[in-house]
Amino acid sequence: MANFDFLSISPDLVLIAFAVLFLLMGSFSRTPGVHNYNMLSISAFSLAILFNLLLFGSKRFGFYDMMLYDELAGIFRFIFYGIGIIVSLMSDPYIEGKIKHKGEYYALIILSIVGMSFIATSYDLIMLVLGVEAMSLSVYILAGMFKHDEASAEASIKYFLLGAFSTAIMLLGIAFVYGTVGTTNYSLIVQNYNKYLHGGIQTGIFLFGVAAILAGVLFKIAAVPFHMWTPDVYEGAPTSVTAFMISGVKAASFFMLIRVFLIALKVAVFNFVDIMVFISIITMTLGNIAALTQRNIKRMLAYSSIAHAGYMLIGFVALNKTGLAAIVFYLIAYALMNLGAFAVLVLLEEKGKDLEHVSGCGFLYPFLGLMMTIFMFSMVGLPPTGGFMGKFYVFKGALEAGYLWLVIIAVLNSAVSAYFYLRVLVYMFFEKPIDAGGALRTSSATVTTALVLTSVGILFLGIFPQFFFEITTKYMTYLP
Amino acid sequence: MFDFIVLIPLFPAFGAFLNGIYGVFRSNWADKPSHTIGIASIGLAFGLMLLLVYKMVSVPIVLLALVPALGAFLAFIFGYRWSDKLVSIIGVGSIGISFILSVLAFWKLIHLEPEARFIEVVFYKWMISGDLSLDIAFLLDPLSAVMILVVTGVGFLIHVYSVGYMHNDPSYPRFFAYLNLFVFFMLILVMANNFPMMFIGWEGVGLCSYLLIGFWFEDDYNAYAGNKAFIVNRIGDFGFLLGMFLIFVTFGSLNYKDVFETASRVLSYNGFTVTAITLLLFVGATGKSSQIPLYVWLPDAMAGPTPVSALIHAATMVTAGVYMVARCNALYTLAPISMAVVATIGALTAIFAASMGFAQRDIKRILAYSTISQLGYMFLGVGVAAFSAGIFHLVTHAFFKALLFLSAGSVIHAMGGEQDVMKMGGLKGHIKKTFIVSLVGTLAIAGAPGLSGFFSKDEILWQAYSSPYGSVFLWAIGVITAGMTAFYMFRWLFLIFFGEERMDHETKHHIHESPNVMLVPLYILAFLSIVGGYIGIPESLGGKNHFHHFLEPVTRYAYKIEGPHYSHALEYALMIVSVAVAFAGFAIAYICYVKNPSIPVKFAESYRNIYRWVYNKYFVDELYEFLFVKGTLNTCFGLKAFDEKGIDGAVNGTGKSLYWSSILTSKLQTGYIYHYVWGIVLGLLILLF
């Protein structure tokens, strides 16, 4: 069936066209500096959202059944494109003057999001790898975008090497799976597994392959012990890129986990529940404990992202509708609060990257202070923010599945996390400002827009959580 | 068709909201743009609120609510700046609209059959948790209809009066915001159809009284008085809360309807549970309605502005306890012990507080003790199962006590802030209008025949004698109190308005009558104090006792005991006795304070000890201070030491250990790629095994 359903990938086609346009503009335009790439990229994402909106609700197979566009994939496309808009909004004042050709930056962001979108619609392991690579390769470059910054270059090379290593493991796993069931198509994997594998060495090899794929996915998620790259890369990469990685790449990776393991590999997923419980516990515990002593805010947020990954894995461990839908809800809240927090950091970075450097900024710049308060409260998980409701739903799912003790550990963990999140606010509001860097350019209209969007979103998720949670529950059709 | 009663509490809430916002941001709104943005956002908030209400109730009522919104927007568009004038319009107007709606509700209610006069309007589902299902719902029945009329009606007059009384206060918007908020909570209290919602109102009025008593908080004493009121109320609330829990455990529901309908089946007459429930609820009532032993906050509460004293401590908040007992009549009548406790506490408070009123010098404190004493009467009434008599006295008392307080305010206004009655005297000629309304109020509270106080007080006394729960002792205490009331109230009147002028020259020069905005509410209240009693003329005097019959449906679930029947002749006799005693009180006051002012001085000198006891309110405050406050504080200090050493040590220890493990984990992060690769390999191995 050569069903070339270009309509189902029309949003991505739009994005690719814009990315190519950006690159060409760099080569042929005589005045590359004057173009409003961020506005162009926002319109690209808006167009993509529009196309996706038209598609939404349908279920389409395409391209020799290598792709399946369903509602959940549609939701994730919305998430990715939304992240793209907010990242575009907050990037411009930050990369101004630091990157020679801004078109490249936006083109890479767009291409990376196209990769994510391919992950979301993949229905074949080969397609999945293509998506992962498209996403990752763009991000490797983005991480090293500040060519004259040593930390940025180090982050890029570290991320690239380790990413390549993990992709190799993942490909190895795919080879094993192919070797045993003879296909890489999601539905055929399930069919053939039930038809041909009945215990014995064959099943063992299949499970080995699944484990290797899981390792690759967990690397992207930054679960312990695959997390080692995270602090270094997130700290070294340009702040706007870190925001993109921490929200976009994380969301895509979690969706990869859900999609691959609940559609293609659902036959094997129960073999890994126990080990996933263990990984989820050490992930959140290590993330939270290591974050306690960090002085650099970006590094602290990197560890915090590890901890959040641990919380979200609880939803995956629960393996029920509530838990899985809660992951999606959590991802939205998590992306919003991280994007918001990094948008504040983008502005404050002129002062410095450590806690001491933001001293007194809360009162100097009340708007930023208020915004940071909302985001940090959401990270701790205090009502009425989306972070609270996300945790609430995840824990609810785990409780329904009977993991009471896991929830207790998670709640204790979030109590620990209050220390380092609120410490940011302590520095911002209760410490005397230091005289460094002089006055701040805090009035960037685009960043302000991003801040308002994210904070309103966080509060909306916290106050009217049912609105999104009902949608995510309705479309969470992937169940083991 | 009764959906609109939802709006009755909402309007004061909105008034509080508007004025509160304006009060907070007033100083920042000096420039036009922020003023515009501020008003626009408030308009938006109002629009949202209307939208909410629109979803809840039927359409035409919402249109009614749109009228003031439209007015506000028009005023804004044509460049009207927000000022204190607008604050008064919003503050008074919102209560006024509530009052009109209340009258409408009342009007519609009395056109229903008496059995059908029980209307519940569900606003929205509040919470469902296990067996507990609660609505935010409002109840309109004869009892709550009477209460909302009193609250919004008297509240409205007091609001109008406040416009004049507070006119130069720097915190004018804040005052009206609090006042509206207070009315809102009071309406929630009386209109609730379940106990938790009543508790919200119960707590809310406590909070607002704290805010209002300490309104001039720059003065430490006022802040202290606010604290005292709040803390003493909290002690009572604790009892109320326990009673509520016990109701939930026993009935599995907290809705009035479920509880009262099934009360006689679920609970046994004179059983332990019902006695415990009713006594615990009554603890709450003693706090809110300032009965023995929790009455101590009310006299100090006079630190607030005078309209506050009138609103909180006469017309609304203190009556909450009486209302609650009357509302729970189905429970109380099942517990004769509790009834006896209520009646006895009521009678004792009445006489005890009256005696304390003898020697006070502060114009408002005397009234405060009289309020406590009159509340004692009301509890005496409901305690002998004469619920309608208790509520009747509540209504008439709201009229004449508001009148007295506001007159006192007018006197204070005239005297330039002086509150000591010993420094007044002879004001009759200076402020004649205030004098006349004060005289009406005093006559009404003393029970002069024909005025409102006479009817309600005599009904209580008669019931105290004739009801199956009553006794001759309760009646005797009531009658003696009536005499004492007449005495100290006329003492109050004579000291202020008669005799020689004891103020200094400077003050005397400045005495002036209050403006009309203060006087008109006084006239209306005086009128009501005179005629208010005619809604409940007893049958023995040829009346029909409409009030009693109107409230009858409320007591339909009450446990009824047949009492002995008495002749009208006995009722006349008792009536004559009480009037005679009251007249004696008046006569003694006249002799002591007008004819021969040296008598009280001589009395105080020859019985120095008794005078000191009475003047110092029997040292009850000091006793409480010694017994409870000190004890509590000492326990607190002990616990604080334990907390600092034991608990903080454990907590900090946990924190420190986490901190050290954090440093250890950070060491894992070496920065070498081959170490990281080992991490991945390790993870893969974990997954494989």
Side-chain angles (χ1 to χ4, degrees):
Chain A
M1 325 157 251
N3 43 0
F4 290 106
D5 184 10
F6 284 107
L7 198 57
S8 70
I9 58 164
S10 54
D12 297 327
L13 292 179
V14 170
L15 288 178
I16 291 171
F18 267 88
V20 172
L21 176 74
F22 285 4
L23 294 174
L24 289 178
M25 276 161 81
S27 310
F28 294 102
S29 165
R30 285 167 194 231
T31 51
V34 299
H35 304 297
N36 262 334
Y37 288 107
N38 60 339
M39 287 305 149
L40 275 176
S41 117
I42 287 165
S43 28
F45 286 121
S46 309
L47 266 180
I49 285 178
L50 193 68
F51 275 92
N52 194 34
L53 203 61
L54 296 176
L55 281 173
F56 192 71
S58 58
K59 190 168 179 168
R60 299 157 166 276
F61 288 91
F63 303 99
Y64 297 95
D65 283 356
M66 286 181 84
M67 283 193 154
L68 165 63
Y69 177 82
D70 54 11
E71 287 95 345
L72 200 60
I75 287 179
F76 267 89
R77 272 192 183 162
F78 282 130
I79 297 176
F80 299 145
Y81 301 156
I83 290 172
I85 288 182
I86 293 173
V87 170
S88 310
L89 276 173
M90 63 192 257
S91 293
D92 213 48
Y94 180 70
I95 59 171
E96 181 74 51
K98 292 178 185 158
I99 291 178
K100 198 172 159 206
H101 180 33
K102 286 198 278 183
E104 277 175 11
Y105 175 89
Y106 289 106
L108 285 169
I109 296 259
I110 290 176
L111 287 176
S112 172
I113 283 178
V114 169
M116 293 174 192
S117 172
F118 279 177
I119 294 175
T121 47
S122 68
Y123 203 59
D124 193 293
L125 290 175
I126 300 300
M127 198 61 217
L128 178 81
V129 172
L130 277 179
V132 171
E133 285 302 290
M135 168 182 86
S136 304
L137 286 170
S138 314
V139 175
Y140 299 150
I141 305 170
L142 279 171
M145 211 66 189
F146 286 180
K147 287 170 200 155
H148 305 292
D149 183 356
E150 249 178 48
S152 175
E154 183 194 329
S156 177
I157 200 75
K158 261 187 186 158
Y159 195 19
F160 171 65
L161 285 177
L162 292 168
F165 187 72
S166 78
T167 312
I169 292 176
M170 190 169 164
L171 280 168
L172 181 72
I174 291 174
F176 276 120
V177 169
Y178 182 73
T180 46
V181 293
T183 176
T184 51
N185 182 283
Y186 286 180
S187 60
L188 290 179
I189 289 176
V190 179
Q191 274 179 28
N192 291 359
Y193 177 87
N194 290 331
K195 221 187 275 177
Y196 303 123
L197 298 184
H198 303 288
I201 188 80
Q202 289 277 319
T203 311
I205 294 173
F206 178 77
L207 287 179
F208 180 85
V210 174
I213 295 175
L214 185 59
V217 175
L218 289 179
F219 173 85
K220 291 280 175 231
I221 287 172
V224 175
F226 306 93
H227 72 289
M228 307 290 272
W229 57 277
T230 324
D232 294 355
V233 173
Y234 282 4
E235 187 190 343
T239 305
S240 54
V241 175
T242 310
F244 177 62
M245 286 195 275
I246 215 166
S247 53
V249 176
K250 187 84 94 183
S253 313
F254 261 99
F255 190 52
M256 173 159 69
L257 180 73
I258 294 172
R259 192 162 171 104
V260 174
F261 279 83
L262 293 176
I263 298 185
L265 306 175
K266 63 180 167 189
V267 285
V269 72
F270 283 106
N271 295 315
F272 293 94
V273 167
D274 290 342
I275 193 78
M276 290 300 283
V277 171
F278 173 70
I279 287 181
S280 132
I281 292 172
I282 56 166
T283 303
M284 60 192 166
T285 312
L286 190 135
N288 278 323
I289 286 185
L292 285 177
T293 45
Q294 303 305 323
R295 308 298 298 176
N296 182 309
I297 302 179
K298 266 164 85 181
R299 203 172 172 86
M300 184 273 278
L301 285 175
Y303 278 113
S304 118
S305 86
I306 297 176
H308 281 292
Y311 298 136
M312 282 187 263
L313 282 178
I314 294 176
F316 184 73
V317 166
L319 275 182
N320 53 19
K321 203 167 175 124
T322 317
L324 292 170
I327 296 183
V328 184
F329 185 92
Y330 200 120
L331 274 172
I332 300 174
Y334 165 86
L336 284 174
M337 64 205 186
N338 270 301
L339 286 170
F342 275 95
V344 175
L345 291 186
V346 157
L347 290 181
L348 290 184
E349 205 172 284
E350 283 177 36
K351 292 226 163 208
K353 294 175 179 174
D354 288 349
L355 279 172
E356 288 76 16
H357 298 128
V358 300
S359 298
C361 284
F363 285 118
L364 280 177
Y365 313 107
F367 177 68
L368 293 184
L370 174 70
M371 291 294 124
M372 203 61 173
T373 311
I374 293 174
F375 302 131
M376 288 298 133
F377 273 30
S378 179
M379 298 242 189
V380 183
L382 296 177
T385 57
F388 168 74
M389 288 319 295
K391 277 199 180 115
F392 173 78
Y393 287 130
V394 167
F395 295 167
K396 190 168 168 235
L399 283 179
E400 281 172 13
Y403 289 103
L404 176 64
W405 55 277
L406 183 57
V407 172
I408 292 174
I409 294 176
V411 170
L412 288 178
N413 257 298
S414 57
V416 171
S417 73
Y419 173 76
F420 54 86
Y421 290 129
L422 299 185
R423 192 168 55 173
V424 177
L425 301 181
V426 168
Y427 272 94
M428 284 185 85
F429 287 103
F430 301 116
E431 299 280 326
K432 284 219 165 61
I434 49 167
D435 309 319
L440 208 57
R441 182 174 39 121
T442 55
S443 56
S444 160
T446 51
V447 180
T448 308
T449 316
L451 283 172
V452 169
L453 283 179
T454 48
S455 58
V456 167
I458 288 279
L459 293 177
F460 182 80
L461 286 180
I463 298 170
F464 305 104
Q466 282 297 326
F467 179 74
F468 273 111
F469 192 66
E470 266 166 19
I471 294 177
T472 53
T473 321
K474 187 175 162 201
Y475 295 126
M476 178 47 77
T477 46
Y478 311 164
L479 288 173
Chain B
M1 68 189 264
F2 280 94
D3 285 350
F4 65 88
I5 64 167
V6 169
L7 294 173
I8 294 175
L10 279 183
F11 268 102
F14 182 60
F17 174 69
L18 277 186
N19 281 338
I21 292 197
Y22 175 59
V24 170
F25 293 107
R26 183 164 57 159
S27 55
N28 298 346
W29 283 1
D31 55 330
K32 187 109 185 161
S34 56
H35 193 86
T36 311
I37 294 168
I39 293 198
S41 52
I42 288 173
L44 195 71
F46 189 36
L48 275 177
M49 192 192 86
L50 283 180
L51 194 72
L52 276 177
V53 176
Y54 173 79
K55 281 187 167 174
M56 309 289 175
V57 298
S58 51
V59 186
I61 300 305
V62 175
L63 293 181
L64 189 78
L66 268 172
V67 175
L70 205 66
F73 267 107
L74 286 181
F76 158 64
I77 288 167
F78 293 111
Y80 192 90
R81 289 291 302 258
W82 200 329
S83 63
D84 283 359
K85 204 168 171 188
L86 193 58
V87 168
S88 358
I89 292 171
I90 290 170
V92 177
S94 58
I95 307 289
I97 294 173
S98 285
F99 177 63
I100 293 167
L101 291 173
S102 309
V103 171
L104 192 67
F106 182 79
W107 184 252
K108 284 185 148 184
L109 192 74
I110 55 174
H111 282 86
L112 295 176
E113 290 296 308
E115 295 76 36
R117 289 177 187 165
F118 186 92
I119 288 125
E120 282 181 313
V121 178
V122 179
F123 191 40
Y124 67 93
K125 233 183 190 25
W126 185 17
M127 53 164 121
I128 305 170
S129 170
D131 297 339
L132 181 67
S133 163
L134 282 178
D135 297 331
I136 297 285
F138 298 103
L139 167 68
L140 188 69
D141 72 342
L143 182 56
S144 63
V146 168
M147 289 303 289
I148 56 175
L149 276 183
V150 171
V151 171
T152 55
V154 177
F156 175 69
L157 293 174
I158 294 171
H159 272 70
V160 174
Y161 179 91
S162 308
V163 172
Y165 191 82
M166 300 296 290
H167 68 98
N168 271 336
D169 197 277
S171 302
Y172 192 75
R174 182 163 63 95
F175 182 77
F176 271 95
Y178 288 168
L179 222 51
N180 281 9
L181 193 66
F182 179 85
V183 174
F184 163 70
F185 278 122
M186 192 65 203
L187 287 169
I188 292 283
L189 196 161
V190 296
M191 289 175 76
N193 86 332
N194 53 54
F195 283 99
M197 215 173 126
M198 185 199 218
F199 188 67
I200 292 176
W202 194 267
E203 286 291 304
V205 290
L207 168 73
C208 290
S209 74
Y210 163 76
L211 294 171
L212 282 166
I213 294 168
F215 182 73
W216 290 315
F217 54 82
E218 293 88 351
D219 186 350
D220 275 353
Y221 172 72
N222 295 344
Y224 160 80
N227 263 342
K228 186 171 176 182
F230 194 65
I231 291 167
V232 173
N233 263 301
R234 294 293 308 162
I235 295 169
D237 296 345
F238 186 62
F240 186 91
L241 208 54
L242 287 179
M244 203 164 83
F245 292 157
L246 200 53
I247 288 175
F248 182 63
V249 170
T250 316
F251 291 91
S253 170
L254 285 165
N255 269 351
Y256 291 161
K257 207 175 174 195
D258 304 340
V259 173
F260 298 149
E261 262 181 9
T262 56
S264 53
R265 269 174 282 135
V266 176
L267 300 163
S268 54
Y269 180 71
N270 204 4
F272 175 76
T273 320
V274 69
T275 310
I277 289 176
T278 45
L279 283 181
L280 283 170
L281 290 179
F282 184 60
V283 171
T286 58
K288 198 103 315 185
S289 297
S290 81
Q291 296 294 294
I292 291 172
L294 296 179
Y295 69 89
V296 289
W297 64 271
L298 191 69
D300 286 314
M302 294 304 130
T306 307
V308 172
S309 311
L311 182 63
I312 298 188
H313 311 121
T316 54
M317 173 173 154
V318 290
T319 58
V322 183
Y323 165 79
M324 190 272 293
V325 175
R327 171 62 73 201
C328 301
N329 59 70
L331 299 176
Y332 275 91
T333 44
L334 281 174
I337 298 178
S338 306
M339 292 292 273
V341 170
V342 172
T344 315
I345 293 266
L348 286 180
T349 310
I351 193 165
F352 190 62
S355 74
M356 285 191 277
F358 278 13
Q360 297 302 317
R361 295 168 60 125
D362 186 308
I363 183 170
K364 279 163 71 184
R365 261 172 192 268
I366 298 172
L367 294 178
Y369 283 107
S370 116
T371 300
I372 300 175
S373 169
Q374 296 298 312
L375 287 165
Y377 263 114
M378 295 174 209
F379 277 106
L380 175 61
V382 293
V384 296
F387 298 105
S388 66
I391 297 295
F392 185 27
H393 196 54
L394 187 158
V395 173
T396 57
H397 175 254
F399 296 151
F400 56 68
K401 189 47 67 62
L403 172 62
L404 285 169
F405 263 119
L406 297 185
S407 311
S410 182
V411 171
I412 295 169
H413 192 78
M415 298 288 294
E418 181 58 56
Q419 300 205 4
D420 189 345
V421 286
M422 292 302 170
K423 293 187 182 153
M424 300 177 184
L427 287 176
K428 181 175 51 156
H430 297 288
I431 41 175
K432 213 171 183 71
K433 292 167 183 165
T434 305
F435 165 67
I436 292 168
V437 290
S438 307
L439 180 66
V440 171
T442 311
L443 283 171
I445 195 172
L451 272 69
S452 60
F454 167 73
F455 296 106
S456 55
K457 191 183 277 186
D458 257 352
E459 195 177 343
I460 288 179
L461 289 175
W462 168 241
Q463 295 282 354
Y465 183 84
S466 67
S467 150
Y469 294 94
S471 84
V472 109
F473 295 109
L474 293 174
W475 174 80
I477 295 179
V479 169
I480 295 169
T481 310
M484 290 161 78
T485 308
F487 172 73
Y488 69 75
M489 280 313 300
F490 275 104
R491 168 181 178 266
W492 179 84
L493 190 77
F494 291 150
L495 281 175
I496 297 171
F497 292 102
F498 290 79
E500 55 180 307
E501 300 176 353
R502 295 181 294 272
M503 58 288 227
D504 53 44
H505 189 72
E506 178 70 13
T507 321
K508 186 175 169 183
H509 190 65
H510 282 113
I511 293 176
H512 57 287
E513 187 60 279
S514 306
N516 276 334
V517 71
M518 288 165 70
L519 285 174
V520 171
L522 286 176
Y523 297 151
I524 298 172
L525 283 169
F527 174 72
L528 288 171
S529 301
I530 295 170
V531 304
Y534 297 129
I535 50 173
I537 300 174
E539 277 153 24
S540 58
L541 290 180
K544 291 231 176 74
N545 210 345
H546 293 293
F547 194 77
H548 180 74
H549 294 300
F550 180 62
L551 283 183
E552 249 173 4
V554 177
T555 53
R556 72 187 126 176
Y557 300 120
Y559 185 87
K560 293 193 177 60
I561 318 175
E562 275 305 305
H565 283 279
Y566 297 97
S567 64
H568 280 331
L570 183 65
E571 201 173 335
Y572 292 139
L574 296 181
M575 217 178 271
I576 290 166
V577 171
S578 74
V579 172
V581 171
F583 185 76
F586 157 74
I588 296 171
Y590 185 72
I591 293 166
C592 288
Y593 293 99
V594 179
K595 272 276 182 205
N596 193 354
S598 59
I599 293 178
V601 184
K602 275 186 203 150
F603 180 85
E605 272 169 11
S606 41
Y607 299 97
R608 174 163 294 281
N609 281 336
I610 296 180
Y611 180 76
R612 253 188 58 218
W613 272 78
V614 175
Y615 181 72
N616 286 312
K617 300 157 278 177
Y618 305 107
F619 295 103
V620 172
D621 275 344
E622 287 74 11
L623 183 75
Y624 282 6
E625 171 87 22
F626 179 73
L627 281 182
F628 303 114
V629 180
K630 286 265 163 61
T632 311
L633 283 179
N634 286 337
T635 321
C636 291
F637 287 129
L639 286 175
K640 186 181 168 217
F642 172 71
D643 180 67
E644 279 172 355
K645 301 249 160 58
I647 298 190
D648 283 6
V651 171
N652 288 338
T654 318
K656 280 211 180 95
S657 63
L658 280 174
Y659 202 78
W660 286 116
S661 50
S662 169
I663 290 176
L664 275 181
T665 5
S666 305
K667 291 256 162 66
L668 284 177
Q669 212 68 37
T670 53
Y672 295 116
I673 289 181
Y674 59 92
H675 286 172
Y676 291 6
V677 171
W678 273 111
I680 295 175
V681 173
L682 179 75
L684 187 60
L685 289 177
I686 291 175
L687 285 182
L688 290 179
F689 296 103

